[in-house]
Amino acid sequence: MSAIEKNSPRTIATLLVGAGLLLTAVALFQTLLPLRAGIEQFSPALVGYLGTIYATGFVFGCVFGPALVKTVGHIRTFSGVVAIAAAVSLLYPLWPNVFLWLALRFFSGVALAIAYMVIESWLNDQSDNTTRGRVLSIYIIVANVTTMAGQLLVNVASTAGQTLFALVTFLLCLAVVPIALTPTSEPKPIPTARLELKGLLSISPVGTIGCLLVGAVEGAFWTLGPTFGQLRAMSVFEITLLMAAFVLGGTLSQWPLGKLSDHYDRRLVILPVALGTVGTGFLIAFWPLSDLWAILVLATVHGALMVPLYALCLAHANDNVANDKLVQTSGGLLLIYSIGAAIGPTVAAQLIEHTNESGLFVFISAALAVFALFILYRLAFGPAYDRLERSPFAPLPKTSQSVFELEVDDEQ
């Protein structure tokens, strides 16, 4: 890529517009599908399977996506996989069959993982050492704002009809336009994610186990959060407020908690955050239904604690990784997170089936309590904390391994 094309504000803005439209559609669908599944009389267990199969597809996309991009290029890959995601989103209301929905969710997971790769690798290629941090920060802001907007868009039409599914398709189609018409050469190849479990555990037991368990609880929450509200007889508007409150809390807390962790052993920051999430999870599980505003406040605090855990675990793991291994290690931890996200929805759904909707947050609290105990064990019996020189904390979305290049300086 020529030097003139580097740091092109027009290209970066175009990519961010495409990413914003894509993330809005994904957030809208993420809340819509569990609500529609409830209307179609799908059990919580079946909703959990939908989350599991989506995360499984996401893992496949992370592993095999780079080869596809290398073969046909970034623009054609993005256009093709987003077209698949747009097409399948129209089929859900037409044929509400659980086996069809499972197949569609798998292909959606594959397609979206690859779409995120294209956007993020392109943003990285458009950045250099002087702009990479700002581009990452803007991308995260766009991701958080559009995620909240997408969840609230569920209120524009009935979840029992086809309009919202058509809106998802419309947004996905629009997301292709700026990427397909970007007047620039394509970026360098995307790094392949590799799963080296033994190596990751030796580098950072807390970071690796943390990514697995945080993936499990977040996969369960994003899959079954709307189901939790539905089973509590909350209105669609109240459910969307509940989901948006979690995102808002996580948006507000990531930077302060991350900067705090830059000055201490990160485990001493992760431990109280995990324990706080255990407490807020139990409070949400058993708080009286009538007190909506109290639940929304609790949801905001819960999100403020739960959402940053992945980035904190990732930063802790990277503290003991040489700079030339950061992208490879972070990509492996993303796969660990995604495996957890495939396990969590099914386990939490079974707990809901055998108890009630509170089982979702009981599962979240129990999983993070296990994580807290593991941190205590490592603090008591593990080796003394020793970190290499590395860049400060940066909050990162759980989208593709390409996003990790945005936090790594080319000169390091």
Side-chain angles (χ1 to χ4, degrees), residues 88-142:
V88 300
S89 66
L90 289 174
L91 298 179
Y92 290 91
L94 298 180
W95 292 289
N97 177 278
V98 65
F99 296 106
L100 175 63
W101 281 26
L102 287 169
L104 296 178
R105 284 306 276 161
F106 175 80
F107 287 114
S108 293
V110 174
L112 291 174
I114 298 173
Y116 294 141
M117 282 183 197
V118 172
I119 291 280
E120 291 162 3
S121 65
W122 210 328
L123 285 172
N124 176 66
D125 205 64
Q126 277 291 314
S127 310
D128 60 23
N129 293 345
T130 64
T131 61
R132 186 165 284 113
R134 280 176 287 171
V135 170
L136 175 61
S137 297
I138 295 170
Y139 179 58
I140 290 169
I141 291 170
V142 168

Side-chain angles (χ1 to χ4, degrees), residues 18 20-34 36 54 81-93 105 108 112 116 149-159 161-176:
L21 290 166
L22 175 68
L23 290 164
T24 302
V26 171
L28 167 58
F29 191 81
Q30 196 173 44
T31 301
L32 169 62
L33 189 65
R36 183 56 177 263
Y54 171 80
V81 297
V82 175
I84 291 172
V88 300
S89 66
L90 289 174
L91 298 179
Y92 290 91
R105 284 306 276 161
S108 293
L112 291 174
Y116 294 141
Q151 289 164 343
L152 294 173
L153 276 176
V154 177
N155 295 288
V156 303
S158 170
T159 55
Q162 299 183 23
T163 302
L164 290 175
F165 290 93
L167 179 58
V168 171
T169 299
F170 174 73
L171 291 169
L172 289 172
C173 290
L174 283 183
V176 173

Side-chain angles (χ1 to χ4, degrees), residues 268-341:
L268 297 178
V269 176
I270 296 171
L271 177 59
V273 171
L275 288 173
T277 312
V278 172
T280 54
F282 277 121
L283 285 173
I284 294 172
F286 302 109
W287 200 267
L289 173 63
S290 58
D291 203 347
L292 174 63
W293 288 107
I295 290 180
L296 292 179
V297 170
L298 280 173
T300 304
V301 175
H302 187 78
L305 296 168
M306 182 178 73
V307 172
L309 279 171
Y310 169 74
L312 289 169
C313 290
L314 193 63
H316 171 65
N318 283 337
D319 285 350
N320 289 313
V321 176
N323 289 323
D324 61 349
K325 298 292 185 181
L326 286 176
V327 173
Q328 178 182 344
T329 301
S330 298
L333 289 172
L334 174 65
L335 291 183
I336 294 290
Y337 172 92
S338 300
I339 290 169

Side-chain angles (χ1 to χ4, degrees), residues 176-229:
V176 173
V177 176
I179 307 301
L181 300 182
T182 299
T184 182
S185 58
E186 296 194 352
K188 60 187 178 183
I190 293 173
T192 302
R194 295 179 181 178
L195 183 59
E196 298 177 357
L197 184 57
K198 184 177 180 180
L200 292 173
L201 278 171
S202 64
I203 291 170
S204 175
V206 168
T208 304
I209 297 301
C211 284
L212 179 69
L213 292 175
V214 172
V217 301
E218 289 201 356
F221 171 75
W222 294 116
T223 299
L224 295 162
T227 301
F228 168 84

